[in-house]
Amino acid sequence: SGNPARPRRGAELPFLASDFVLVWETVPRELMKPKESSENKGVRERSAIIHRTWRKRFLDKLLDTGIHMEKVPGGWTAVVHYLLLSAPWSVLCYYAEELQLRMPLQALPNQASNWSARVLGGLGVRNVMAEDVPDLPLDYCTCQFKVNKLQWFLGSDRQDTFFSATQRHQILYEILATTQYGRSKEREVGVDWLLSENVFSAAFPLHDGPFKLPSEEAAPGSLNQRQILFQYWANWRKWYKYQPLDHIRKYFGEKVAFYFTWLGFYTGWLLPAAVVGTVVFIAGIFLMFNDVPTQEVCESGEQFRMCPLCKSCPYWQLSSTCSIFKAGRLFDHGGTIFFSMFMSLWAVAFLEHWKRLNAALAHRWDCSDFEDIEERPRPQFTAMAPLTIINPITGAEEPYFPKRSRHHRILAGSMVIIMMIAIVVMFVVSVILYRVVVAILLASSGYFRFVASASRIASVTGSVVNLFFILILSKIYISLAHFLTKWEMHRTQTKYEDAFVFKVFVFQFVNFYSSPFYVAFFKGKFIGYPGNYVNFLGVRNEECSPGGCLIELAQELLIIMVGKQIINNTQEVLIPKLKCWWQKHRFDSSRKAPKEGEAAQAEEVPWEKNYQLLLFEGLFDEYLEMVMQFGFITIFVAACPLAPLFALLNNWVEIRLDAQKLVCDYRRPVAARAQGIGIWFYILEVIAHLAVISNAFLIAFTSDFLPRIYYKHLYDSSLRGYVNFSLAHAPQAFVQHHNSTCRYRAFRNADGSFSSTYWHLLAIRLGFIIAFEHVVFFIARLIQLLVPDIPESVEVKVKRERYLAKEALAENKV
């Protein structure tokens, strides 16, 4: 009874299968470059000696923990060494209690359910999305593992299957990550540091086997877990089927499973948003052909002579912009108000229902208390922390880093972030200047086709340049954020990831959204009037195109959002395949030929095949892509009702692409636990609130909706004469100086001052913003009150599980 003593080497029987693989490569002396200088050879040899020393110390320490090892040589010219690791029973028990793993007390039928399946079942409609996936994992009542209560845990009599594969991987990785092989102050601890120093080439758990089916008629019961996931999840033919979430969790762990659960849930909720957005867009097409102001512009001929766009630019006719004015009506109409309100409430309802699903899954997957109680300090933090302290929750002694020092480091890192954001703003300003200069050059070129489309061409090319800057700056900043977050010394992996995510998101938010925010809220707002134009850095401020800034914002969104999606999906398809092909080609071309009398190796062994796969680098990029997309379809949805449709189409592809990469192209990641999607949820909540404010201002100040309503109620309900109403006459001083009169878009008097109409509209706009925000926030708050965060059924299950755990682990149990 009681905890076992920490196991020592040679305590168990030889193992039958490996749980983890360590790999390193060495180059034989005879294959070193003959022309290499003696200095370079000396550096290489010294480095190899240091690496051998570190490796020997590390492996000796692993042996002391009781880990079993089996060394297997590889078959390549650059000699590859494989070390197969396995944890014996006593080691597994010791670390299972240390890591507070939860083990089963009682088996229950799988209680997975889907709201759409329940709705279709209630209507008596056949559910084509449902599918029977073999080897469905059971649900269990669980509690934290205790060695002295071993007999009360389910399956404790079968030592080979009591701990799941993912639990064994977690235990092995914990040992590898915390084993010290040198001085902790020099960070000589853990396999991650050895990997960064190239002492080891790779460290990974093995996949269950090949992902390809042995034959098309293979019985479902004969498939391994990887084949099941490939056949029923990563297969493109399953694009309309439910994801096997319990299988994903069983094979990859909770962190990966929560990502795919959230992605599938988000994609499902995009369906009604896409349908409503498409209907609003189609309504815009019909309104475009029946819009009276648009007809007036197209039929005006030479009635409206517009003022030049620059000093050397010619006068131009408003009728020449007929096509772009029509395009503006596609997005700027009454349906915009309804859709903006709909999407704001959609975002709130989506997040509230996700909270319920998250709570239900966190309980089913045994991670409800993971972040608060069960999560251990990061191995790197444990090694580097200068002090220890008693944890107030668990009562255990833990490494400690002073909060004051961490706050100082966070403050210093914030200065770096502010500097990087300033660089982004500089690039945005340069893109604005580029657009202005290109528009002026095209407008003054004298070519009619260029003069009429000058603003549109400048805007499109400016959006493409902006996308290029976004992608370049993102790569630079992410590596900087990694360094700063490590330096800040966060205690747990969750806090570390949250700090990293926050840094990168703030930067990416400014990086991606600065240009759309400029077009939406600043472009065309501070331009002055003929004879008294406002300049910025010696260049006249940009005006909106004749169709309005909303059409330019829609164009900006489509280029950045859809362009980024196309680039990302192309990269996700091509880059992993090319990298896998190159690795396999490199290994095959350098494979040693069998010596005389030796038989050629018939087939690569599993660890060789796994080593040829790519390293899994986490889910950060996947989350970031989806959250930025969520921002585009909510913050600026008033400008582009088709954004949810493009997001839906992209996400259908994204789910299968990510699944294929994980199952086919990547080495198996160490199963990581999580309580949900982490800080991403709070970022989504901030975006949802920002979307309400943004859409209110878009409709009030960027759209023509309110000026049209004002004109309709005060002057003409048919909107005849609206174009003339929205154009001001050039001031008398400008007319006398140029001996010619012209019109420009503004509500100003003959002397250039703002007219009474401008002030009336300003009051209406501000009143609309207040009314829109209050109505939407009130309904959103009502949704939050009506939808409880934790389903009642989950609360009952939690109480039942606590009761069973108390009964099973009672000290006086007979």
Side-chain angles (χ1 to χ4, degrees):
S1 65
N3 291 345
R6 193 178 183 89
R8 307 295 293 176
R9 74 171 76 186
E12 302 292 333
L13 296 172
F15 64 96
L16 299 175
S18 62
D19 296 319
F20 227 89
V21 182
L22 285 177
V23 188
W24 69 93
E25 297 183 15
T26 55
V27 180
R29 185 181 294 273
E30 62 270 15
L31 293 176
M32 290 189 178
K33 296 176 184 177
K35 294 183 179 178
E36 193 173 23
S37 68
S38 58
E39 186 178 345
N40 287 344
K41 282 183 181 178
V43 171
R44 186 191 291 269
E45 287 178 2
R46 281 195 299 275
S47 176
I49 291 169
I50 293 170
H51 285 186
R52 277 199 302 273
T53 304
W54 283 349
R55 198 157 44 233
K56 184 178 184 306
R57 283 185 198 161
F58 184 73
L59 298 182
D60 285 344
K61 291 281 188 180
L62 286 183
L63 276 174
D64 287 341
T65 64
I67 298 299
H68 285 154
M69 303 180 185
E70 182 179 321
K71 188 176 177 183
V72 184
W76 289 286
T77 304
V79 179
V80 183
H81 305 270
Y82 298 97
L83 192 66
L84 310 184
L85 308 179
S86 180
W89 174 251
S90 60
V91 173
L92 292 173
C93 289
Y94 177 84
Y95 277 95
E97 190 164 334
E98 275 288 299
L99 296 174
Q100 300 179 342
L101 296 184
R102 299 183 69 89
M103 304 306 294
L105 294 169
Q106 185 184 79
L108 303 169
N110 190 292
Q111 299 169 2
S113 62
N114 194 293
W115 67 269
S116 57
R118 292 194 297 270
V119 171
L120 293 173
L123 297 173
V125 178
R126 179 174 168 267
N127 188 0
V128 296
M129 296 179 287
E131 186 175 29
D132 291 327
V133 182
D135 195 19
L136 183 65
L138 291 171
D139 278 346
Y140 295 99
C141 282
T142 64
C143 74
Q144 287 182 9
F145 179 72
K146 297 286 184 184
V147 175
N148 57 357
K149 305 295 181 184
L150 180 62
Q151 67 272 26
W152 302 115
F153 289 99
L154 200 64
S156 58
D157 55 330
R158 297 187 300 275
Q159 293 185 3
D160 55 336
T161 59
F162 180 65
F163 294 104
S164 67
T166 52
Q167 287 172 333
R168 294 199 306 270
H169 298 162
Q170 287 170 337
I171 289 169
L172 259 295
Y173 179 72
E174 175 69 16
I175 296 170
L176 290 171
T178 55
T179 297
Q180 188 172 320
Y181 59 91
R183 291 167 295 185
S184 61
K185 289 186 178 180
E186 299 294 328
R187 294 194 288 185
E188 293 176 357
V189 60
V191 72
D192 291 327
W193 182 249
L194 291 171
L195 287 168
S196 67
E197 292 291 314
N198 296 318
V199 177
F200 290 109
S201 304
F204 53 87
L206 288 172
H207 276 292
D208 272 3
F211 65 85
K212 291 181 180 175
L213 301 184
S215 66
E216 288 295 326
E217 288 138 8
S222 66
L223 302 180
N224 63 44
Q225 282 293 314
R226 193 182 183 196
Q227 288 168 338
I228 289 172
L229 287 174
F230 177 73
Q231 182 67 10
Y232 294 92
W233 178 46
N235 197 322
W236 285 103
R237 289 177 294 179
K238 306 294 181 181
W239 65 271
Y240 61 96
K241 298 291 185 183
Y242 293 137
Q243 297 182 87
L245 298 175
D246 287 310
H247 292 76
I248 298 168
R249 179 244 178 173
K250 181 180 177 182
Y251 194 75
F252 290 113
E254 287 82 10
K255 185 172 284 189
V256 171
F258 267 116
Y259 165 71
F260 282 101
T261 305
W262 176 81
L263 180 56
F265 186 76
Y266 169 49
T267 303
W269 272 71
L270 277 174
L271 189 58
V275 170
V276 174
T278 305
V279 170
V280 169
F281 180 76
I282 292 170
I285 295 174
F286 287 105
L287 291 172
M288 178 183 71
F289 290 109
N290 298 316
D291 185 55
V292 172
T294 303
Q295 293 171 0
E296 286 184 348
V297 168
C298 294
E299 296 169 2
S300 62
E302 298 183 359
Q303 180 181 354
F304 300 112
R305 189 168 184 250
M306 306 300 290
C307 296
L309 297 172
C310 63
K311 288 182 180 179
S312 59
C313 297
Y315 292 86
W316 55 284
Q317 299 297 332
L318 186 62
S319 58
S320 65
T321 63
C322 172
S323 58
I324 190 67
F325 203 90
K326 278 184 179 179
R329 295 307 103 205
L330 278 174
F331 305 104
D332 193 356
H333 55 82
T336 302
I337 307 292
F338 163 75
F339 192 55
S340 298
M341 189 174 291
F342 171 83
M343 286 302 294
S344 298
L345 297 176
W346 171 91
V348 173
F350 160 68
L351 293 175
E352 285 302 306
H353 282 83
W354 167 251
K355 272 198 279 192
R356 287 171 59 83
L357 179 60
N358 192 113
L361 285 178
H363 174 257
R364 273 187 57 221
W365 291 346
D366 295 324
C367 45
S368 298
D369 300 324
F370 173 67
E371 291 179 14
D372 296 330
I373 298 173
E374 299 170 22
E375 189 171 17
R376 289 166 59 81
R378 293 170 60 237
Q380 295 85 347
F381 176 83
T382 303
M384 299 290 293
L387 305 169
T388 59
I389 195 173
I390 300 297
N391 188 309
I393 297 173
T394 63
E397 188 176 8
E398 286 185 351
Y400 175 71
F401 188 78
K403 285 185 178 179
R404 187 181 183 85
S405 300
R406 182 182 295 120
H407 290 158
H408 287 164
R409 293 187 178 192
I410 291 173
L411 186 62
S414 301
M415 297 299 105
V416 177
I417 294 170
I418 291 170
M419 185 181 70
M420 288 298 296
I421 289 173
I423 293 172
V424 172
V425 173
M426 287 168 55
F427 276 109
V428 171
V429 170
S430 66
V431 171
I432 293 168
L433 293 174
Y434 164 84
R435 279 201 291 242
V436 172
V437 171
V438 168
I440 290 173
L441 291 175
L442 292 175
S444 59
S445 63
Y447 293 101
F448 172 76
R449 191 180 300 275
F450 285 162
V451 171
S453 307
S455 180
R456 187 166 73 251
I457 293 170
S459 182
V460 171
T461 55
S463 299
V464 173
V465 171
N466 186 51
L467 176 61
F468 175 76
F469 280 145
I470 284 171
L471 297 175
I472 296 295
L473 288 172
S474 298
K475 298 292 183 186
I476 297 170
Y477 181 77
I478 287 174
S479 58
L480 179 62
H482 268 298
F483 171 78
L484 290 174
T485 311
K486 287 177 183 175
W487 183 57
E488 289 169 1
M489 290 288 291
H490 294 280
R491 176 182 167 271
T492 64
Q493 187 64 24
T494 299
K495 291 186 181 298
Y496 173 87
E497 289 177 1
D498 288 351
F500 174 72
V501 165
F502 179 75
K503 284 184 187 64
V504 177
F505 178 77
V506 168
F507 175 79
Q508 295 287 39
F509 185 90
V510 177
N511 199 8
F512 275 91
Y513 295 150
S514 53
S515 186
F517 263 104
Y518 163 74
V519 174
F521 304 118
F522 297 100
K523 186 175 180 180
K525 303 297 187 295
F526 311 101
I527 56 174
Y529 54 89
N532 189 26
Y533 284 117
V534 178
N535 293 332
F536 176 68
L537 298 179
V539 180
R540 178 180 155 186
N541 284 353
E542 277 188 291
E543 291 187 50
C544 292
S545 68
C549 273
L550 218 59
I551 181 67
E552 290 189 46
L553 179 58
Q555 166 190 292
E556 185 92 3
L557 290 180
L558 290 175
I559 288 176
I560 294 176
M561 188 181 94
V562 178
K564 187 174 185 300
Q565 287 177 352
I566 291 171
I567 291 170
N568 282 350
N569 287 336
T570 304
Q571 287 178 336
E572 288 184 29
V573 171
L574 294 179
I575 291 178
K577 299 296 181 190
L578 288 173
K579 283 184 175 178
C580 283
W581 172 83
W582 174 248
Q583 292 228 124
K584 187 164 178 51
H585 171 73
R586 181 170 71 90
F587 293 156
D588 288 346
S589 62
S590 59
R591 183 182 292 277
K592 285 182 180 177
K595 294 180 182 178
E596 192 175 346
E598 286 184 357
Q601 193 174 354
E603 189 180 351
E604 289 175 325
V605 287
W607 41 88
E608 286 186 349
K609 288 182 178 179
N610 278 248
Y611 184 47
Q612 292 176 28
L613 300 177
L614 304 179
L615 174 67
F616 176 70
E617 296 179 346
L619 295 165
F620 170 77
D621 289 333
E622 317 301 337
Y623 270 121
L624 181 64
E625 182 184 351
M626 291 298 105
V627 170
M628 299 304 289
Q629 180 198 90
F630 181 82
F632 280 122
I633 68 167
T634 52
I635 295 175
F636 304 108
V637 75
C640 189
L642 286 180
L645 177 63
F646 287 116
L648 175 66
L649 297 175
N650 173 78
N651 291 6
W652 263 331
V653 175
E654 185 75 25
I655 290 173
R656 304 302 155 183
L657 270 181
D658 290 345
Q660 279 213 337
K661 285 191 302 183
L662 269 171
V663 174
C664 307
D665 299 331
Y666 288 154
R667 297 171 195 153
R668 186 175 182 176
V670 178
R673 301 187 69 199
Q675 200 170 322
I677 62 173
I679 198 175
W680 293 112
F681 176 77
Y682 302 105
I683 290 173
L684 291 170
E685 281 194 317
V686 171
I687 289 175
H689 284 82
L690 182 61
V692 177
I693 301 167
S694 171
N695 283 308
F697 275 88
L698 267 177
I699 295 165
F701 286 98
T702 308
S703 167
D704 270 353
F705 177 76
L706 292 180
R708 284 172 173 242
I709 295 293
Y710 177 82
Y711 183 83
K712 185 182 286 189
H713 282 81
L714 287 186
Y715 298 100
D716 191 332
S717 60
S718 68
L719 288 177
R720 294 197 178 278
Y722 174 76
V723 175
N724 186 58
F725 166 76
S726 65
L727 297 176
H729 291 272
Q732 196 63 34
F734 180 86
V735 173
Q736 290 175 354
H737 184 266
H738 292 84
N739 292 322
S740 181
T741 186
C742 60
R743 310 291 294 275
Y744 64 102
R745 281 179 64 89
F747 294 104
R748 290 180 180 269
N749 296 317
D751 60 353
S753 62
F754 288 117
S755 65
S756 59
T757 301
Y758 170 85
W759 297 111
H760 292 161
L761 277 172
L762 181 62
I764 291 170
R765 282 168 167 153
L766 295 175
F768 172 83
I769 290 170
I770 294 169
F772 183 90
E773 288 180 355
H774 277 65
V775 169
V776 174
F777 281 132
F778 173 76
I779 299 174
R781 182 62 181 155
L782 206 59
I783 292 172
Q784 289 175 338
L785 292 173
L786 292 174
V787 182
D789 291 352
I790 301 175
E792 187 179 350
S793 59
V794 172
E795 291 179 345
V796 172
K797 288 175 189 174
V798 169
K799 291 174 183 176
R800 170 68 178 164
E801 191 164 289
R802 284 175 182 166
Y803 170 76
L804 286 172
K806 183 180 177 181
E807 286 291 299
L809 300 182
E811 288 296 332
N812 59 351
K813 187 84 176 181
V814 177

